[in-house]
Amino acid sequence: MDQIITFGLTNAGTAALLALVAAGIARFTQRPALWYTLWLVVLLRLLAPPIFGVDVAIPDLGQTTADRETAVVSVSGGAVTVADNERSLSPAAVIATIWAAGAMVVIGFAIAQSIQLRQILRTSEPASEIISDRVARLAHELGLRRAPPTVQVLDRVPPMLWAFLGSVRLILPTELLSRLDRDQTDTLLAHELAHLGRRDHWVRHLELAALALFWWNPVAWWATRRVRRAQELCCDQRVAELLPENRRAYA
């Protein structure tokens, strides 16, 4: 139990130092790809085995808060005996229990979101032939081996990639598509396909693992937000490179 707590605190400390370095470099550079790499290293540092060990002394709270003395009375043959029964509560066990409970909450929230999205997908329809053709053309120009299946939904959700067990779908809200012209639609599709080309959907699993294990550590949430921000900026740059004539429409 103590080894688990030591692992968490050691990795949290080293990740915090790396996060400060990443934040400092990002402040003085304008390279989203570099930001992404640095913040990804912070997430990996949280999950990787500790570089060094730190002895963590957990105070024994058993004598002050958890010991309970109870009298057990037994009657046998007219004689009465009183026995003391002591119960002690391990602080390490309490910390581990709280830690695990928080991890389950984070994972449960992610599962709930996935179930909600799957319910939305049940009412989805294949994208129109025009949209499918644009997706195929842009996927080819981005160097993807094949275009992902594209569906349209009536729910008000943002355009997104949905990955489950190796299957990837491009989800587009019908209402949004109806308000965009051709150039705007192309930039939107290119942005989502750029995420696919970068394999950003796989990084979501890493983020979930880091947040589940280190939900109590602000660095995990900070790094996750910065990774996603860097991903968006990298995809914006890719769209600008692929469709320079559509920069104004993209903005």
Side-chain angles (χ1 to χ4, degrees), residues 97-239:
T97 301
I98 296 174
W99 195 340
M104 293 303 296
V105 170
V106 173
I107 294 174
F109 184 72
I111 293 175
Q113 286 186 317
S114 179
I115 293 174
Q116 182 181 15
L117 187 55
R118 293 191 70 177
Q119 291 175 342
I120 292 175
L121 284 173
R122 289 176 183 173
T123 61
S124 66
E125 296 181 353
S128 65
E129 184 176 355
I130 295 176
I131 294 297
S132 297
D133 289 344
R134 292 184 187 178
V135 170
R137 176 177 59 82
L138 291 169
H140 176 72
E141 293 179 3
L142 285 167
L144 301 180
R145 289 186 298 177
R146 60 179 179 272
T150 305
V151 298
Q152 295 181 211
V153 297
L154 296 177
D155 299 72
R156 292 186 175 182
V157 296
M160 69 179 76
L161 287 173
W162 185 75
F164 182 73
L165 298 178
S167 175
V168 180
R169 294 184 190 179
L170 177 56
I171 302 175
L172 303 172
T174 301
E175 181 184 0
L176 176 62
L177 291 178
S178 66
R179 294 189 282 111
L180 301 180
D181 60 27
R182 181 184 178 86
D183 291 343
Q184 292 170 334
T185 300
D186 284 348
T187 56
L188 182 148
L189 296 176
H191 180 97
E192 297 304 323
L193 292 172
H195 279 298
L196 179 60
R198 289 171 41 83
R199 305 295 189 268
D200 286 341
H201 55 289
W202 290 112
V203 179
R204 295 293 177 265
H205 300 295
L206 176 66
E207 295 171 357
L208 178 59
L211 292 178
L213 288 176
F214 291 91
W215 57 267
W216 47 269
N217 187 358
V219 171
W221 298 92
W222 185 21
T224 297
R225 288 195 300 269
R226 302 317 298 173
V227 163
R228 294 187 180 185
R229 176 58 178 164
Q231 288 174 341
E232 295 299 322
L233 292 175
C234 287
C235 290
D236 288 344
Q237 286 188 343
R238 188 71 182 95
V239 172

